[in-house]
Amino acid sequence: MTDTSSPFMYPKFFGKPSPDHYQQYKDDEQTQHQYGKQRNNNNNNKFRKDNVAHGFGYSEYLSPQEIEDRSNLDELYVGVLRINRHRRYDAYVSTTSLSDDIYIGSEICRNRAFDGDIVAVELTDVDLAWKQRKEVMQRSRGLDIDDQELFVDQDEDELHNKPKYAGKVVGIIERPKDRFVVGILIPESNSSTVNGFEPKTWFRPLDKRIPLFYIPIGNGPADVRQNENYYKTRLYVAKMVAWHPHKMRPAGKIIRELGQIGDMSVETQAILTDCCITSDPYSDAALAAIPSLPFIIPESEFAKRSDMRDLITFTIDPSTAKDLDDALHIKRMADGFEVGVHIADVSYFVRSNTPLDSEAKDRGTSTYLVDSVVPMLPEVLCQDLCSLNQGQDRLTFSVIWRMDNKGNVIDTSFVKAIIRSKAQLSYEDAQKVIDGGCLDSSISCATEIEQAIRDLMGLAQHMRDRRFASGGALAINTLKLEFQLNKENLEPISVTPYEQIDTHRLIEEFMLQANLSVSRKISKAYPNDALLRRHRGPIIRRMDTFVQLAHELGFNIDAESAGKLQKSFDLIPEGEIKQALFALAIRPMQRAKYFCSGTLDPSRWLHYALNEQTYTHFTSPIRRYADIVVHRQLEYAMKDKKMSGFSKKTIQTISYHCNYRKDHAANAQEMSRHLYLCRYISQQKTHVVLPATVIMVELDFIEIYQHTYGLKQRLYVEDCPITHQEFNSDQNIVTWYWKAGVQVDMESYMRKSHRTTSSKRQDSQEQDGNNVTVRPKDKKSHVNARHRAPPQKLVQSLLNHDACAQTFSVFSTLNIRLQVNSARSPPIINAYPVNPFY
């Protein structure tokens, strides 16, 4: 089943290209030599002497008792640390106790904490923290390449909008166990002994948010310096073994070699390892709790459950699905319909506080890669005992509604049941019926199931129309890619956009309704310790920027609520312009998160995209541990137990962990799609030249959206053979004057130095008046721009052949060339504007 909890499941391709594409292509490892060389030469070998800097030190952590005592007094705040993937100087802690996130600037304030750690934070002076950030930005202009990436590609609102809170980490409450990191081994640049110390081996993680590890003698290969060419093409797995408060960098240990950079299986393993996803077998202790096959439902369960085996239940899933965790039934009644959603009763097999439960919790969720699935549960549970397979008696936790003819819920009941699915249908099978066709005659009860599908579709359409028309829901449909693989070697042979059909919407509506019904039940029964899910509203300053830009382009966007935003989009015709607007609108959106009901005032429980006061996950316990917890709480609520079976503190900890696992699984899925897209593009026998749409115009770059693959990238002026440019900020127009006959790709003309910060680029351009002309602001033209008619279609960027000039505005198009740099891990897709005067 597809996760329907949030409509914001968009392809945000992981990993941005480093600024200097040419240098990446020619010698990606030169940066590593320069990194070590500059650090040693410019800082008096500050990484020597076991990485101890004179007078340097992180703060000692507070004791657990002191953290608990001071948290109760609201002197400390507990939350999850997240580090900006592209700007590692910046980090934030999300806490339920404050209305805004806490800004954590610099590694010193992070105090040896990693992304995803649950940390205790003490508030500090936000003005001082922001001042120090600006000072570091200024100093970064003279840093080496690696440190310049602290501030690459920052959004203007991030640079200039001071946060409400700032703080420093004073303790780590919980961090994922056995956190492994993927990277490469690099020797220290100096080849001789300095001050009596042998040159060190460094481990450089692929994830820029993680600091360099130094590898003590005995914790890694001893011949890195002698065989540098070998090691720089291999990926290794390491883990941190110690980080002393008075050492700038942690000590690490090499666990194993993954293999050659660029090998698809190696890159996939790197993705799983970096995202902390294990595919190791379950332990014998955990597997011992699973009944042997063939499994026969005990007679005692029939006495406890409703026997619904005679109902015409059926499943609708992707054609390749093996873990079938939901089934449907519908019966016509005198006053409407009885509709049932039957969910696999995984909690029957995964009992609380057992080794199986502990390992399922640790994994947290299934991960769906392009070429494989890493299941949360053992295969015998996923594909057999829990899967609602056709013709098999199966245990379920069911939600039954009485509905009127418009899909309005009249009554809701929750039952433990036993069902026997009559048919396993694919989405395409059900869609055929919706389109007026018939099921295959070999399917049992085909006629009855066909009528059931039509009835369900009719109700779902009413429910969906009501959700968006009066319910105030929002869905931003952005591009998602599907890959067809060669069955023999699993190489990608085609890439197509994922198409949502009516059957998807049918399933979505009833799964949403089940989740909503359960959330209302458990939140009412256990207002202090229910496991719920909320979706915070968009980041206001980013949404304001989007609304302003859209207004200047002629679109009236009302972002006061999710429903009003949806209505604004509904007025825009379908097409590439709407798709480009979606690409811009997605920026302010945040991911939905699990939380404990007692940690937030009910006014903050809202799920923004669904516009529902309460929401949770109930319908996918085979692939989400959070759903198993919700099943247990629902069972307790059905029995009118006063306690949910979990303490408030336990549910909060579970919510942190499930968020961490779900986010990492989503990242792994995006990275896997990106990996296979890179592979597909690199295999094309001809140059990949495609049209792209300009979605942002700035002084030093234009940002483009490529509709075929859903790629967003910035094309920088200084990376192109441009003699000069003219920029009009009021009209959002820029004109580039090209050098005739000069192409832009990885082997041709490219600027030889890395991009630095936006402010540095602007300073350099302002100093050279021959390179850029900035038209002064014209109040009249600015006002007129706000009242222009919205564009009806994309337009080609204007060309002046006499002047070799190309003029870009938002929603103008240009041709770009895509090239893949597979020498890096993970590989990256570089987009280059095609010089129209080549």
Side-chain angles (χ1 to χ4, degrees):
M1 288 297 304
T2 300
D3 180 12
T4 58
S5 63
S6 170
F8 304 114
M9 298 299 162
Y10 55 94
K12 177 184 174 185
F13 292 107
F14 179 88
K16 283 189 176 180
S18 182
D20 187 340
H21 302 159
Y22 178 82
Q23 195 65 18
Q24 291 174 16
Y25 181 71
K26 297 299 289 182
D27 189 0
D28 192 48
E29 302 307 318
Q30 183 65 30
T31 299
Q32 297 161 8
H33 285 288
Q34 290 299 112
Y35 178 87
K37 184 176 180 180
Q38 292 178 18
R39 285 294 181 90
N40 287 325
N41 293 342
N42 297 339
N43 297 289
N44 297 319
N45 300 308
K46 67 181 180 182
F47 290 129
R48 297 272 176 193
K49 301 181 181 179
D50 288 336
N51 213 23
V52 180
H54 180 68
F56 173 84
Y58 293 103
S59 300
E60 296 281 358
Y61 294 141
L62 301 181
S63 68
Q65 187 61 54
E66 186 174 1
I67 290 175
E68 184 173 357
D69 293 342
R70 292 185 62 186
S71 296
N72 292 334
L73 296 172
D74 291 332
E75 294 178 358
L76 300 178
Y77 298 90
V78 175
V80 179
L81 178 74
R82 70 179 191 277
I83 302 172
N84 192 299
R85 186 175 294 278
H86 304 299
R87 302 181 298 275
R88 68 172 181 267
Y89 183 90
D90 293 337
Y92 294 84
V93 170
S94 300
T95 175
T96 56
S97 304
L98 297 173
S99 58
D100 287 68
D101 292 344
I102 305 170
Y103 173 69
I104 311 292
S106 81
E107 291 183 339
I108 295 295
C109 290
R110 284 208 298 271
N111 197 9
R112 296 166 289 157
F114 286 78
D115 184 80
D117 288 349
I118 301 175
V119 297
V121 176
E122 181 179 64
L123 295 185
T124 59
D125 186 333
V126 67
D127 292 321
L128 178 60
W130 208 240
K131 178 183 177 183
Q132 291 172 342
R133 183 185 191 274
K134 290 181 178 179
E135 291 173 351
V136 172
M137 288 174 59
Q138 293 294 326
R139 292 198 302 270
S140 72
R141 299 180 186 184
L143 292 178
D144 55 65
I145 290 166
D146 189 76
D147 281 338
Q148 286 174 4
E149 292 183 4
L150 288 167
F151 299 103
V152 165
D153 288 344
Q154 296 197 83
D155 292 330
E156 290 301 311
D157 65 319
E158 298 280 353
L159 288 171
H160 302 301
N161 285 276
K162 185 174 67 176
K164 188 174 182 179
Y165 303 105
K168 62 180 181 180
V169 173
V170 296
I172 296 177
I173 297 173
E174 185 178 338
R175 72 176 6 152
K177 64 179 181 179
D178 296 331
R179 176 186 274 146
F180 298 106
V181 182
V182 178
I184 58 175
L185 287 166
I186 53 176
E188 200 166 37
S189 296
N190 290 345
S191 59
S192 59
T193 300
V194 177
N195 297 331
F197 292 90
E198 291 294 329
K200 284 190 173 18
T201 295
W202 294 93
F203 177 79
R204 188 177 188 181
L206 300 181
D207 189 340
K208 292 287 187 182
R209 297 172 298 180
I210 301 174
L212 288 169
F213 292 3
Y214 75 94
I215 307 299
I217 296 174
N219 280 10
D223 61 341
V224 175
R225 180 168 303 282
Q226 291 80 3
N227 295 291
E228 183 178 352
N229 288 334
Y230 173 85
Y231 286 102
K232 72 180 183 181
T233 62
R234 297 296 192 275
L235 293 179
Y236 284 83
V237 177
K239 68 179 297 185
M240 184 183 74
V241 294
W243 197 345
H244 192 277
H246 297 292
K247 293 186 179 181
M248 293 184 67
R249 303 296 180 198
K253 181 178 182 179
I254 301 302
I255 303 302
R256 66 183 184 275
E257 178 182 336
L258 280 182
Q260 176 82 33
I261 290 175
D263 181 274
M264 291 294 281
S265 62
V266 171
E267 296 290 348
T268 297
Q269 281 301 310
I271 290 171
L272 293 175
T273 303
D274 252 351
C275 292
C276 303
I277 297 167
T278 179
S279 56
D280 294 339
Y282 267 75
S283 69
D284 291 340
L287 295 174
I290 300 175
S292 58
L293 297 177
F295 172 70
I296 299 176
I297 298 174
E299 286 298 324
S300 59
E301 288 302 314
F302 283 90
K304 300 175 187 176
R305 296 172 180 262
S306 297
D307 189 344
M308 297 184 173
R309 290 178 294 174
D310 290 337
L311 288 176
I312 298 179
T313 56
F314 52 92
T315 60
I316 303 176
D317 289 278
S319 58
T320 57
K322 297 179 181 179
D323 51 346
L324 315 178
D325 51 12
D326 60 272
L328 293 165
H329 91 267
I330 185 169
K331 289 197 304 183
R332 293 191 172 192
M333 312 290 285
D335 58 348
F337 295 90
E338 177 188 280
V339 180
V341 168
H342 307 273
I343 305 300
D345 190 359
V346 176
S347 60
Y348 174 84
F349 298 98
V350 182
R351 302 298 175 93
S352 297
N353 302 317
T354 62
L356 179 59
D357 180 52
S358 178
E359 293 186 36
K361 174 187 173 184
D362 185 57
R363 297 173 192 236
T365 183
S366 297
T367 303
Y368 294 82
L369 306 178
V370 170
D371 64 333
S372 60
V373 177
V374 181
M376 180 183 75
L377 296 174
E379 184 176 298
V380 66
L381 289 178
C382 291
Q383 299 182 18
D384 198 315
L385 294 174
C386 295
S387 185
L388 306 182
N389 297 330
Q390 177 180 333
Q392 300 293 316
D393 291 353
R394 287 294 181 260
L395 304 174
T396 67
F397 213 152
S398 304
V399 184
I400 312 296
W401 303 286
R402 277 197 310 114
M403 291 183 169
D404 65 17
N405 292 327
K406 296 295 182 66
N408 293 296
V409 176
I410 300 171
D411 182 62
T412 304
S413 60
F414 306 95
V415 296
K416 289 287 190 92
I418 300 173
I419 70 165
R420 182 183 294 165
S421 174
K422 301 300 186 289
Q424 178 180 339
L425 306 179
S426 68
Y427 284 122
E428 292 73 21
D429 292 333
Q431 187 63 42
K432 185 178 179 181
V433 174
I434 292 171
D435 292 339
C438 300
L439 294 174
D440 190 284
S441 58
S442 62
I443 294 177
S444 173
C445 305
T447 302
E448 293 89 341
I449 293 175
E450 288 167 2
Q451 186 59 54
I453 292 172
R454 295 187 189 103
D455 288 342
L456 287 168
M457 189 68 239
L459 293 178
Q461 190 60 59
H462 285 300
M463 294 161 69
R464 186 177 182 84
D465 289 347
R466 190 162 53 247
R467 234 175 15 96
F468 287 100
S470 60
L474 169 68
I476 295 182
N477 300 313
T478 54
L479 185 68
K480 180 180 177 181
L481 299 177
E482 288 189 317
F483 294 82
Q484 182 182 355
L485 305 181
N486 184 302
K487 293 182 179 180
E488 295 181 359
N489 58 18
L490 297 182
E491 291 286 346
I493 55 179
S494 70
V495 182
T496 56
Y498 173 80
E499 181 182 0
Q500 190 174 46
I501 55 178
D502 288 338
T503 314
H504 295 139
R505 299 183 182 97
L506 182 160
I507 295 298
E508 179 183 19
E509 290 306 314
F510 288 104
M511 296 306 112
L512 283 173
Q513 188 60 53
N515 288 334
L516 286 167
S517 297
V518 172
S519 72
R520 292 163 186 161
K521 178 73 172 179
I522 64 173
S523 63
K524 183 177 180 181
Y526 309 115
N528 288 321
D529 46 31
L531 180 59
L532 302 178
R533 188 167 175 82
R534 72 170 180 149
H535 182 213
R536 295 172 67 183
I539 299 170
I540 294 175
R541 63 182 183 273
R542 291 185 179 178
M543 181 56 74
D544 288 345
T545 300
F546 166 69
V547 170
Q548 173 74 15
L549 175 61
H551 191 56
E552 292 177 0
L553 294 170
F555 296 97
N556 185 20
I557 301 293
D558 186 346
E560 183 179 340
S561 67
K564 290 183 177 179
L565 184 59
Q566 181 66 51
K567 285 181 170 59
S568 298
F569 280 123
D570 288 343
L571 296 175
I572 301 172
E574 295 295 331
E576 291 181 321
I577 287 180
K578 188 171 186 176
Q579 191 179 15
L581 281 172
F582 279 161
L584 290 168
I586 210 71
R587 284 175 171 160
M589 302 302 174
Q590 306 186 67
R591 279 180 174 174
K593 299 288 183 183
Y594 299 109
F595 71 100
C596 174
S597 58
T599 63
L600 286 174
D601 185 88
S603 64
R604 298 173 63 193
W605 292 2
L606 179 72
H607 194 291
Y608 171 79
L610 298 176
N611 196 32
E612 292 287 350
Q613 183 59 36
T614 61
Y615 190 68
T616 195
H617 274 167
F618 166 79
T619 55
S620 296
I622 289 179
R623 63 182 179 88
R624 291 189 305 234
Y625 184 78
D627 299 51
I628 297 177
V629 174
V630 169
H631 278 222
R632 292 168 181 166
Q633 291 192 318
L634 178 60
E635 183 173 8
Y636 272 47
M638 288 169 55
K639 295 177 179 179
D640 294 324
K641 291 191 175 184
K642 294 183 178 180
M643 306 295 290
S644 71
F646 301 89
S647 68
K648 174 181 172 181
K649 184 176 180 180
T650 299
I651 289 296
Q652 183 69 341
T653 300
I654 290 173
S655 70
Y656 285 144
H657 178 77
C658 289
N659 287 332
Y660 177 83
R661 290 302 189 194
K662 197 170 194 314
D663 286 348
H664 278 66
N667 290 340
Q669 289 161 203
E670 290 172 5
M671 293 167 71
S672 179
R673 288 196 292 267
H674 177 72
L675 174 65
Y676 274 82
L677 180 59
C678 287
R679 188 70 160 196
Y680 177 77
I681 292 174
S682 65
Q683 289 178 338
Q684 302 309 299
K685 296 180 180 179
T686 58
H687 295 322
V688 179
V689 177
L690 297 168
T693 300
V694 177
I695 58 175
M696 185 181 295
V697 175
E698 294 291 345
L699 174 65
D700 46 2
F701 68 84
I702 59 172
E703 185 163 347
I704 56 97
Y705 179 76
Q706 206 292 309
H707 296 266
T708 307
Y709 299 132
L711 291 168
K712 285 188 293 185
Q713 285 199 17
R714 290 181 177 180
L715 308 179
Y716 284 85
V717 174
E718 67 174 18
D719 284 346
C720 301
I722 306 296
T723 61
H724 63 288
Q725 62 169 325
E726 294 179 355
F727 177 64
N728 186 321
S729 60
D730 284 331
Q731 298 288 338
N732 282 319
I733 292 173
V734 66
T735 299
W736 288 2
Y737 291 86
W738 291 87
K739 292 181 179 180
V742 181
Q743 187 56 287
V744 186
D745 59 26
M746 281 196 279
E747 293 184 281
S748 65
Y749 178 90
M750 290 295 291
R751 189 178 175 115
K752 301 256 174 155
S753 62
H754 276 60
R755 284 196 313 263
T756 56
T757 65
S758 176
S759 58
K760 180 178 180 182
R761 288 193 297 267
Q762 186 167 339
D763 287 348
S764 64
Q765 289 170 335
E766 288 173 350
Q767 292 168 7
D768 188 354
N770 295 324
N771 289 337
V772 58
T773 301
V774 181
R775 293 188 180 178
K777 290 197 173 185
D778 182 341
K779 183 177 291 188
K780 182 177 180 180
S781 68
H782 191 61
V783 171
N784 290 338
R786 294 171 180 268
H787 296 283
R788 69 176 65 172
Q792 299 300 310
K793 61 180 181 179
L794 300 177
V795 295
Q796 182 68 36
S797 55
L798 297 176
L799 299 180
N800 182 330
H801 290 272
D802 293 335
C804 292
Q806 185 174 19
T807 300
F808 302 107
S809 60
V810 177
F811 297 141
S812 63
T813 64
L814 71 158
N815 286 333
I816 61 169
R817 179 179 175 184
L818 301 181
Q819 287 184 289
V820 176
N821 183 352
S822 300
R824 289 175 59 95
S825 180
I828 59 174
I829 300 172
N830 293 329
Y832 304 100
V834 173
N835 185 345
F837 309 103
Y838 174 63

